[in-house]
Amino acid sequence: MCEYREIRYVHHMIHPVYGLELDTGCVCASRMEINPDAAKTREGQLKNATRRRRNWLSRKWRISAKGNHFLNTDGMNIVIYRVLGGWGGRITERSDEDPRVVPSRRVHPTIDAAKLAAFDTMILLKDRWHL
């Protein structure tokens, strides 16, 4: 809207009636929404996830009895393991009831690539599972 070109965190705004999509910064997004604090909240969550992803590989991953790397965080158990041709993993919801399990769909060339893919999936699942 304001044509300010340097936007670090882009908010994709879609008009519900016209279907038009605008890519805006936080200020314009907050002006376009009925709830101005929503844009600030979204941007804060994204900044937090960016910081967490940057430090994800340096976290202390534990080794299971089967020799797999695992981490318990954000109400989830994340396991990275060797598969034919590389690395895979799974994320399990840590709940007392019926836990949901999401296995990786891709084979990753390195353990670090598998861990980063698990982080990206964890962020999506946190929102979807409301954890």
Side-chain angles (χ1 to χ4, degrees), residues 3 18 24 39 47 49 56 62 65 68 72-73 78 84 87 90 92 94-96 104 107 113-114 119 125 129:
E3 298 182 12
Y18 301 108
T24 69
K47 286 179 180 180
W56 187 248
R62 295 167 42 197
N68 299 324
N72 294 321
T73 185
I78 301 167
L84 186 62
W87 295 87
R90 70 169 163 67
T92 305
R94 297 181 70 204
S95 69
D96 295 336
S104 62
V107 174
F119 176 84
L125 292 175
W129 291 348

Coordinates of all heavy atoms in Angstrom, one line a residue, residues 3 18 24 39 47 49 56 62 65 68 72-73 78 84 87 90 92 94-96 104 107 113-114 119 125 129:
E3 N 4.0 1.3 -0.5 CA 5.1 1.0 -1.4 C 6.5 1.1 -0.7 O 7.5 1.4 -1.4 CB 5.0 2.0 -2.6 CG 3.7 1.7 -3.4 CD 3.6 2.6 -4.6 OE1 4.6 3.2 -5.0 OE2 2.5 2.6 -5.2
Y18 N -13.2 -10.0 -2.4 CA -12.6 -9.8 -3.7 C -11.5 -10.8 -4.0 O -11.1 -11.0 -5.2 CB -12.1 -8.4 -3.9 CG -13.1 -7.4 -3.7 CD1 -13.2 -6.6 -2.5 CD2 -14.1 -7.2 -4.6 CE1 -14.1 -5.7 -2.3 CE2 -15.1 -6.3 -4.5 CZ -15.1 -5.5 -3.3 OH -16.1 -4.6 -3.1
T24 N 2.3 -7.2 2.6 CA 2.5 -5.9 3.3 C 3.4 -6.2 4.5 O 3.8 -7.3 4.8 CB 1.2 -5.4 3.9 OG1 0.7 -6.3 4.9 CG2 0.1 -5.3 2.8
A39 N -1.5 -8.6 13.8 CA -0.3 -8.5 13.0 C 1.0 -8.5 13.8 O 2.0 -9.2 13.5 CB -0.3 -7.2 12.1
K47 N 9.3 -14.1 14.3 CA 10.6 -13.7 14.7 C 11.2 -14.7 15.7 O 12.3 -15.1 15.7 CB 10.6 -12.3 15.4 CG 10.5 -11.2 14.4 CD 10.5 -9.9 15.0 CE 10.3 -8.7 14.0 NZ 10.3 -7.4 14.7
A49 N 10.3 -17.9 16.0 CA 10.5 -19.2 15.3 C 11.8 -19.1 14.5 O 12.6 -20.0 14.4 CB 9.4 -19.5 14.3
W56 N 18.5 -24.3 16.5 CA 17.9 -25.7 16.6 C 19.0 -26.7 16.6 O 19.0 -27.7 17.3 CB 17.0 -25.8 15.5 CG 16.2 -27.1 15.5 CD1 16.3 -28.2 14.6 CD2 15.2 -27.5 16.4 NE1 15.4 -29.1 14.9 CE2 14.7 -28.8 16.0 CE3 14.6 -26.9 17.5 CZ2 13.7 -29.4 16.7 CZ3 13.6 -27.6 18.2 CH2 13.2 -28.8 17.8
R62 N 19.4 -35.9 22.5 CA 19.7 -37.1 23.3 C 19.7 -38.3 22.3 O 19.2 -38.2 21.2 CB 18.7 -37.3 24.4 CG 18.8 -36.1 25.4 CD 17.7 -36.0 26.4 NE 17.2 -37.3 27.0 CZ 16.1 -37.4 27.6 NH1 15.3 -36.3 27.8 NH2 15.7 -38.5 28.1
A65 N 17.8 -45.5 23.1 CA 18.4 -46.9 23.3 C 18.6 -47.5 21.9 O 19.5 -48.4 21.8 CB 17.5 -47.8 24.1
N68 N 18.9 -43.5 18.1 CA 18.3 -42.4 17.3 C 18.4 -41.1 18.1 O 18.4 -41.1 19.3 CB 16.8 -42.7 17.1 CG 16.6 -43.9 16.2 OD1 17.4 -44.3 15.4 ND2 15.6 -44.7 16.6
N72 N 12.6 -33.8 23.2 CA 11.3 -33.6 23.7 C 11.1 -32.1 23.9 O 11.8 -31.5 24.7 CB 11.0 -34.3 25.0 CG 11.0 -35.8 24.8 OD1 10.5 -36.3 23.8 ND2 11.6 -36.5 25.7
T73 N 10.2 -31.4 23.1 CA 10.0 -30.0 23.2 C 8.6 -29.6 22.7 O 8.1 -30.3 21.9 CB 11.1 -29.2 22.4 OG1 10.9 -27.8 22.7 CG2 11.0 -29.5 21.0
I78 N 10.4 -35.6 19.1 CA 10.9 -35.5 17.7 C 12.1 -36.5 17.7 O 13.0 -36.4 18.5 CB 11.4 -34.1 17.4 CG1 10.3 -33.1 17.5 CG2 12.1 -34.1 16.0 CD1 10.7 -31.7 17.5
L84 N 17.1 -45.8 4.5 CA 17.8 -46.1 3.3 C 18.1 -44.9 2.5 O 17.1 -44.2 2.1 CB 17.0 -47.2 2.5 CG 17.7 -47.7 1.2 CD1 19.0 -48.5 1.6 CD2 16.8 -48.6 0.5
W87 N 18.4 -39.8 5.9 CA 17.8 -39.6 7.2 C 16.4 -39.3 7.2 O 15.9 -38.6 6.3 CB 18.6 -38.4 8.0 CG 20.0 -38.8 8.3 CD1 21.1 -38.5 7.4 CD2 20.5 -39.4 9.4 NE1 22.2 -39.0 8.0 CE2 21.9 -39.5 9.2 CE3 20.0 -39.8 10.6 CZ2 22.8 -40.0 10.2 CZ3 20.8 -40.4 11.6 CH2 22.2 -40.5 11.3
R90 N 10.3 -38.6 12.7 CA 8.9 -38.6 13.0 C 8.7 -37.6 14.2 O 9.6 -37.4 15.0 CB 8.3 -39.9 13.3 CG 8.8 -40.5 14.6 CD 8.0 -41.8 15.0 NE 8.7 -42.5 16.0 CZ 8.9 -42.2 17.3 NH1 8.5 -41.0 17.7 NH2 9.6 -42.9 18.1
T92 N 5.9 -37.0 17.3 CA 4.7 -37.6 18.1 C 4.3 -36.6 19.1 O 5.1 -36.0 19.8 CB 5.1 -38.9 18.8 OG1 5.7 -39.8 17.8 CG2 4.0 -39.6 19.5
R94 N 3.1 -35.5 22.5 CA 3.3 -36.1 23.9 C 2.0 -35.9 24.7 O 1.9 -34.9 25.4 CB 4.5 -35.5 24.5 CG 5.8 -35.9 23.8 CD 7.0 -35.3 24.5 NE 7.2 -36.0 25.7 CZ 7.8 -35.6 26.8 NH1 8.3 -34.4 26.8 NH2 8.0 -36.3 27.8
S95 N 1.1 -36.7 24.6 CA -0.2 -36.6 25.4 C -0.5 -37.9 26.0 O -0.1 -39.0 25.6 CB -1.3 -36.1 24.6 OG -1.7 -37.1 23.6
D96 N -1.3 -37.9 27.1 CA -1.7 -39.1 27.8 C -2.8 -39.9 27.0 O -2.9 -41.1 27.1 CB -2.3 -38.8 29.1 CG -1.3 -38.2 30.1 OD1 -0.1 -38.4 29.8 OD2 -1.6 -37.5 31.0
S104 N 8.2 -38.5 8.7 CA 8.7 -37.7 7.5 C 8.4 -38.4 6.2 O 8.3 -39.6 6.1 CB 10.2 -37.5 7.7 OG 10.9 -38.7 7.6
V107 N 13.4 -38.3 2.4 CA 14.7 -38.8 2.8 C 15.6 -37.6 2.7 O 15.7 -37.0 1.6 CB 15.2 -40.0 2.0 CG1 16.6 -40.3 2.4 CG2 14.2 -41.1 2.2
A113 N 19.9 -31.7 8.0 CA 18.8 -31.4 7.1 C 17.5 -32.0 7.6 O 16.4 -31.4 7.6 CB 19.1 -31.9 5.7
A114 N 17.6 -33.2 8.2 CA 16.4 -33.9 8.8 C 16.0 -33.2 10.0 O 14.8 -33.0 10.2 CB 16.8 -35.4 9.1
F119 N 12.1 -29.3 12.5 CA 11.7 -28.1 13.1 C 10.6 -27.4 12.4 O 9.6 -26.9 13.0 CB 13.0 -27.1 13.2 CG 12.6 -25.8 13.8 CD1 12.5 -25.6 15.1 CD2 12.3 -24.7 12.9 CE1 12.2 -24.4 15.7 CE2 11.9 -23.5 13.4 CZ 11.9 -23.3 14.8
L125 N 2.9 -27.9 13.0 CA 2.0 -28.8 13.9 C 1.6 -28.1 15.1 O 0.5 -28.3 15.6 CB 2.7 -30.1 14.2 CG 2.9 -31.1 13.0 CD1 3.7 -32.3 13.4 CD2 1.6 -31.5 12.4
W129 N -2.1 -28.2 15.9 CA -2.6 -29.0 17.1 C -2.9 -28.1 18.3 O -3.2 -28.6 19.3 CB -1.5 -30.0 17.5 CG -1.3 -31.1 16.5 CD1 -2.1 -31.5 15.5 CD2 -0.2 -32.1 16.5 NE1 -1.6 -32.5 14.8 CE2 -0.5 -33.0 15.4 CE3 0.9 -32.3 17.3 CZ2 0.4 -34.0 15.1 CZ3 1.7 -33.3 17.0 CH2 1.5 -34.2 15.9

